Amino acid sequence: MIHEEKLENQEFLKKSISHLESRGFESIKADLEGFEHPKSYLKKSSGMRVTPDIVAIKNGRKYFFDISLKSEKHSLLKSKWLFLDTLSRMKSNRFKIITTKGHYKFTNTLMEDLNMDGDHLMKV
């Protein structure tokens, strides 16, 4: 989810965090009040700051999560996902995209454009 959309979708962010907690994730960081904020990364090619929606640890491995909800800014979302996927692969971490009913087709279309497989998708 891009930064402008985080304010209007905080309820889904909270729902996603509780889902991750029930799945055994710990040390959860999220851009939400009451949680520590995740680290932002600078994308040198565009000068854009990229912050994952949620960062958590499970079994000693760090996971980056991004929320996928329908958006008009496809290119920003694709760019963010590609950056986070590359970053996670470089550091032997994992990257997952969280989505919900009504947003599957949108998410799958963007993932196909980026040649990402279904292993990256988590449905809540």
Side-chain angles (χ1 to χ4, degrees), residues 52 96 99 101:
K96 298 275 187 185
T99 192
K101 187 177 181 180

Side-chain angles (χ1 to χ4, degrees), residues 38 49 59 98 112 124:
R49 287 217 163 270
N59 298 329
I98 300 174
E112 286 174 10
V124 174

Side-chain angles (χ1 to χ4, degrees), residues 46-59:
S46 65
M48 183 174 82
R49 287 217 163 270
V50 176
T51 306
D53 292 332
I54 303 170
V55 176
I57 296 176
K58 183 175 181 181
N59 298 329

Side-chain angles (χ1 to χ4, degrees), residues 17 27 45 57 60-61 69 82 97 106 111 122:
I17 290 170
S27 303
S45 62
I57 296 176
R61 188 174 299 262
L69 300 174
L82 197 56
I97 298 169
F106 171 78
M111 288 177 62
M122 178 181 268

Side-chain angles (χ1 to χ4, degrees), residues 58-76:
K58 183 175 181 181
N59 298 329
R61 188 174 299 262
K62 186 186 262 188
Y63 286 77
F64 296 106
F65 295 96
D66 200 59
I67 307 290
S68 174
L69 300 174
K70 291 178 185 174
S71 171
E72 296 297 319
K73 300 185 179 181
H74 300 267
S75 60
L76 279 176

Side-chain angles (χ1 to χ4, degrees), residues 80-95:
K80 182 179 180 182
W81 291 356
L82 197 56
F83 180 81
L84 289 173
D85 186 45
T86 304
L87 180 70
S88 65
R89 288 175 192 263
M90 284 177 19
K91 299 193 175 200
S92 298
N93 297 324
R94 299 287 184 259
F95 173 62

